[in-house]
Amino acid sequence: MRLLLIGGGARGLSLTRLLAAEGHAVRVVTRDPARHAEIVAAGGEPYDGDPDRIGTLRYALDNVTVLIWALGTATGDPLRVQALHQTRLEMLLERVIDTTVRGVLYECNGGLPVELLSQGARTVERMCRHNEIPWGLLHHDTDDLDGWAASAADAIERIVARDRG
């Protein structure tokens, strides 16, 4: 399957290595072209885009089976970070219905306020229920890179299994 990973930093690279080793294709969104080499080294396909500008992700969704929104530790301008878990997330989920995406995994743990991540989780649940797309919520400790990656991979398998069931 092909996955689209938005965010995650070092966690995302750990997940990319794990999924690529299992034969999956992982498209990793990055704002920084200087990260291309480390993404490729992890077995991923770099994609230049910005989750703060949803239009830049339009073609990133091509042939994707599962979307992973791993921005639980996003940093920067507080209003922009807030928008990532509110309006930006909702905008992307609105576009997902007209794509090949058959599952969504949302990271709802990290350094951000619990209320914000809970609101993002509710948005994912509401929109995925409405569009009949399986989803999962990732609560694993973001400091545990390998454990986080294993939990994410398990959640992805459960999402895909629900889609088939």
Side-chain angles (χ1 to χ4, degrees):
M1 85 184 115
R2 179 178 302 279
L3 302 106
L4 177 62
L5 174 60
I6 300 173
R11 296 182 318 282
L13 290 177
S14 182
L15 177 60
T16 300
R17 281 188 287 278
L18 179 62
L19 294 172
E22 293 176 358
H24 302 296
V26 184
R27 186 174 291 148
V28 181
V29 173
T30 182
R31 294 180 197 147
D32 182 4
R35 291 197 64 221
H36 286 198
E38 67 182 331
I39 292 168
V40 169
E45 170 195 350
Y47 185 91
D48 293 328
D50 184 347
D52 196 39
R53 298 178 56 226
I54 296 302
T56 66
L57 303 178
R58 179 180 189 174
Y59 298 109
L61 293 165
D62 285 353
N63 301 312
V64 166
T65 309
V66 177
L67 165 67
I68 306 161
W69 191 265
L71 295 170
T73 60
T75 59
D77 177 326
L79 291 177
R80 284 183 165 205
V81 171
Q82 183 177 356
L84 289 173
H85 295 275
Q86 293 174 341
T87 55
R88 301 303 184 257
L89 174 61
E90 190 161 350
M91 272 192 261
L92 185 61
L93 292 173
E94 286 173 353
R95 286 165 174 77
V96 161
I97 191 63
D98 293 326
T99 69
T100 58
V101 172
R102 300 289 31 103
V104 175
L105 179 61
Y106 177 77
E107 179 183 45
C108 47
N109 192 23
L112 298 178
V114 172
E115 305 82 32
L116 179 61
L117 295 173
S118 294
Q119 182 180 15
R122 286 190 303 274
T123 297
V124 168
E125 179 179 0
R126 175 178 49 82
M127 296 195 72
C128 287
R129 274 189 197 278
H130 178 75
N131 293 314
E132 299 180 356
I133 296 174
W135 79 94
L137 303 175
L138 183 58
H139 295 279
H140 200 94
D141 178 3
T142 56
D143 291 329
D144 175 13
L145 297 183
D146 292 334
W148 183 93
S151 289
D154 288 345
I156 290 163
E157 287 301 321
R158 286 192 305 274
I159 290 166
V160 172
R162 276 197 314 244
D163 185 45
R164 291 184 194 135

